[in-house]
């Protein structure tokens, strides 16, 4: 599989992000959805990667710089056809490697508290993320789980 920085212009990326947002709105109230659309992912402080298996998009993930020492993981998504095949592990390893190269001291993320998000929370726990309070611009929300990892 190939992981590459993506310009967010391909139809495959638009499709996976549409699926991602659709799922988020299906399981969370609108005020508790923090997933980013294409335009918000194109901000200069965000690096977005796509994961490819040949010409098939297998997944994606992004890293948003909050400050010089702290970044947030965003838009982690595995294409339905690739669930359970290690795509999320590959993108997580890649993001952690880039975070280390950039000398971030901490990575944080927000995910959901509903059962739908159990696989995501287990992945993050596996990589050493621990539960914490809100960070950045987030506020307490019963639908949000906040996690962080010191690098």
């Amino acid at each position: 599989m190939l992981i590459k920085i993506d310009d967010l212009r391909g139809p495959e990326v638009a499709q996976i992000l549409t699926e991602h947002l659709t799922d988020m709105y299906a399981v969370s109230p609108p005020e508790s959805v923090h997933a980013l659309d294409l335009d918000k992912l194109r901000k200069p402080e965000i690096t977005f990667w796509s994961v490819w298996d040949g010409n098939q998009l297998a997944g994606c993930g992004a890293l948003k710089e909050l400050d010089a020492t702290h970044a947030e993981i965003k838009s982690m998504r595995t294409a339905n056809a690739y669930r359970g095949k290690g795509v999320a592990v590959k993108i997580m390893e890649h993001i952690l490697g880039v975070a280390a190269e950039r000398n971030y001291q901490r990575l944080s993320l927000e995910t959901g508290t509903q059962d739908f998000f159990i696989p995501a929370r287990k992945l993050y726990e596996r990589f050493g993320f621990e539960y914490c309070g809100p960070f950045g611009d987030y506020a307490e929300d019963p639908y949000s789980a906040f996690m962080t990892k010191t690098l």
Side-chain angles (χ1 to χ4, degrees):
M1 285 194 203
L2 171 69
I3 298 174
K4 66 177 187 173
I5 292 178
D6 200 292
D7 65 7
L8 297 137
R9 301 209 188 286
E12 301 90 348
V13 170
Q15 173 71 29
I16 199 170
L17 290 172
T18 298
E19 290 172 6
H20 184 59
L21 285 167
T22 299
D23 281 350
M24 299 305 100
Y25 282 103
V27 298
S28 300
E31 66 275 9
S32 297
V33 174
H34 303 288
L36 302 177
D37 63 19
L38 282 168
D39 287 336
K40 290 179 181 166
L41 285 167
R42 290 187 179 116
K43 303 282 183 194
E45 66 272 16
I46 297 176
T47 305
F48 181 90
W49 293 275
S50 54
V51 183
W52 295 87
D53 180 19
N55 63 354
Q56 296 295 311
L57 180 61
C60 61
L63 193 57
K64 177 182 180 182
E65 184 171 292
L66 301 175
D67 63 43
T69 64
H70 187 195
E72 178 183 5
I73 295 174
K74 299 293 291 180
S75 301
M76 287 283 294
R77 178 74 178 197
T78 299
N80 292 336
Y82 286 87
R83 298 259 164 105
K85 296 182 179 178
V87 173
V89 169
K90 288 190 181 309
I91 192 70
M92 188 59 113
E93 289 171 345
H94 184 79
I95 288 172
L96 287 168
V98 170
E101 288 171 8
R102 293 180 180 177
N103 295 312
Y104 293 134
Q105 295 173 10
R106 182 164 73 121
L107 282 182
S108 299
L109 60 93
E110 180 275 339
T111 190
T113 57
Q114 304 90 317
D115 288 350
F116 177 86
F117 297 99
I118 289 172
R121 292 193 310 266
K122 287 185 181 223
L123 172 76
Y124 302 135
E125 289 169 0
R126 176 177 163 193
F127 277 91
F129 284 81
E130 297 177 344
Y131 292 91
C132 64
F135 60 91
D137 294 332
Y138 292 105
E140 284 290 345
D141 182 337
Y143 294 97
S144 289
F146 303 99
M147 302 178 82
T148 195
K149 175 183 176 75
T150 302
L151 303 177

